[in-house]
Amino acid sequence: MSSFTVSDIMSRNVVTSDPDDEVSDAMNRMSEIGVRHLPVVENGELIAIISIRDFQVICDHLGKLAKTDSLTGLANRREFMKLLEAEFSRFNRFDSPFSVAMLDIDFFKNINDEHGHNAGDTILVRFADIFRTQLRAYDVAGRLGGEEFAILFPNTSLEGAVTACEHLREAIKKIALFADTGLISCTASFGVTMVVPEFAKPECILKFSDELLYQAKEQGRDRIIGASYQEHAAQVLNVANG
């Protein structure tokens, strides 16, 4: 059995990772320095040794859980915002256009109250299924919370995003859930906009899309309000000037 002196240990390079580092970065660092196994210690006793390959599988699974909404399997709010920030950065560097839609289920509270939360959850899952079948592979749909969703359309004009949302709206109207309490159908309202230099940060895009969604609700629901920030600002100015 080989032994190490204090000088042997202290003279070796120490490799560390920041808690905020991506797991993949830490795994790559471990691979570069030849780490192949990880000890599992409990109360000072070695109870297991995990190979780096098994550890990678575990980390990948946990990483996926951390990025997705547990009910729908869509991106959760944190992951959606991360991807939105990346797209916003590309826009600032390369002037690469993209659009964002905010939407929610009309009268969703009534569905929960009249048919139960299980029925409401089933409707949310149906929405996610529609997104997966109707959207392109590189579009990103996320559940931001409750019945509120957002969609990121990379390299897409406002007109293209509105057209895509119109397909979604029509598909959503065809949902028919047969429950003990009766037939459940639903509609959705959308607010859609495209990124412009006036947006100082990604949150501004979502905020403006949410304002357009609110207009869709005010105008009767089951509709899409799509507008550029400049058009909206001009309308507001015209109203203010009488």
Side-chain angles (χ1 to χ4, degrees), residues 96-142:
S96 178
F98 70 91
S99 296
V100 171
M102 290 281 289
L103 65 143
D104 70 16
I105 304 171
D106 297 328
F107 303 112
F108 185 67
K109 184 178 183 299
N110 292 349
I111 294 176
N112 281 330
D113 291 346
E114 295 175 15
H115 305 281
H117 288 277
N118 286 339
D121 287 348
T122 301
I123 292 294
L124 293 172
V125 172
R126 292 281 183 90
F127 263 63
D129 291 340
I130 288 174
F131 296 153
R132 277 187 278 267
T133 57
Q134 295 282 337
L135 296 175
R136 301 167 299 183
Y138 51 85
D139 295 330
V140 179

Side-chain angles (χ1 to χ4, degrees), residues 22 67-68 73-91 93 96 98-100 137-144 150-155 202-203 205-206:
E22 292 286 343
K67 295 177 181 179
T68 58
L74 301 176
N76 59 21
R77 174 182 282 274
R78 180 179 179 183
E79 178 66 6
F80 184 87
M81 291 305 301
K82 178 181 175 180
L83 296 172
L84 177 61
E85 288 169 4
E87 202 63 39
F88 189 75
S89 178
R90 273 191 287 273
F91 169 73
R93 286 180 295 169
S96 178
F98 70 91
S99 296
V100 171
Y138 51 85
D139 295 330
V140 179
R143 183 187 178 199
L144 303 190
I151 304 172
L152 171 61
F153 295 99
N155 195 31
E203 290 82 355
I205 308 170
L206 281 185

Side-chain angles (χ1 to χ4, degrees), residues 5-139:
T5 65
V6 172
S7 60
D8 290 331
I9 298 173
M10 295 303 292
S11 63
R12 296 186 177 187
N13 292 330
V14 176
V15 180
T16 62
S17 291
D18 189 276
D20 293 329
D21 286 350
E22 292 286 343
V23 171
S24 59
D25 293 337
M27 296 298 295
N28 290 336
R29 200 169 296 122
M30 291 165 64
S31 180
E32 289 171 0
I33 63 176
V35 175
R36 293 291 178 266
H37 296 84
L38 298 173
V40 179
V41 179
E42 185 177 291
N43 298 325
E45 297 291 332
L46 179 65
I47 61 173
I49 295 178
I50 302 176
S51 72
I52 190 172
R53 182 172 298 178
D54 290 338
F55 185 64
Q56 179 72 67
V57 172
I58 295 170
C59 289
D60 289 345
H61 178 65
L62 293 176
K64 183 178 180 180
L65 290 177
K67 295 177 181 179
T68 58
D69 172 62
S70 59
L71 176 63
T72 63
L74 301 176
N76 59 21
R77 174 182 282 274
R78 180 179 179 183
E79 178 66 6
F80 184 87
M81 291 305 301
K82 178 181 175 180
L83 296 172
L84 177 61
E85 288 169 4
E87 202 63 39
F88 189 75
S89 178
R90 273 191 287 273
F91 169 73
N92 286 329
R93 286 180 295 169
F94 308 116
D95 197 28
S96 178
F98 70 91
S99 296
V100 171
M102 290 281 289
L103 65 143
D104 70 16
I105 304 171
D106 297 328
F107 303 112
F108 185 67
K109 184 178 183 299
N110 292 349
I111 294 176
N112 281 330
D113 291 346
E114 295 175 15
H115 305 281
H117 288 277
N118 286 339
D121 287 348
T122 301
I123 292 294
L124 293 172
V125 172
R126 292 281 183 90
F127 263 63
D129 291 340
I130 288 174
F131 296 153
R132 277 187 278 267
T133 57
Q134 295 282 337
L135 296 175
R136 301 167 299 183
Y138 51 85
D139 295 330

Side-chain angles (χ1 to χ4, degrees), residues 193 196 198-199 208 211-212 215 227-241:
T193 194
V196 290
E198 284 82 353
F199 293 129
F208 182 58
E211 290 175 4
L212 297 175
Q215 289 183 27
S228 70
Y229 182 80
Q230 295 94 331
E231 290 173 342
H232 180 74
Q235 292 172 1
V236 171
L237 183 62
N238 289 337
V239 170
N241 292 335

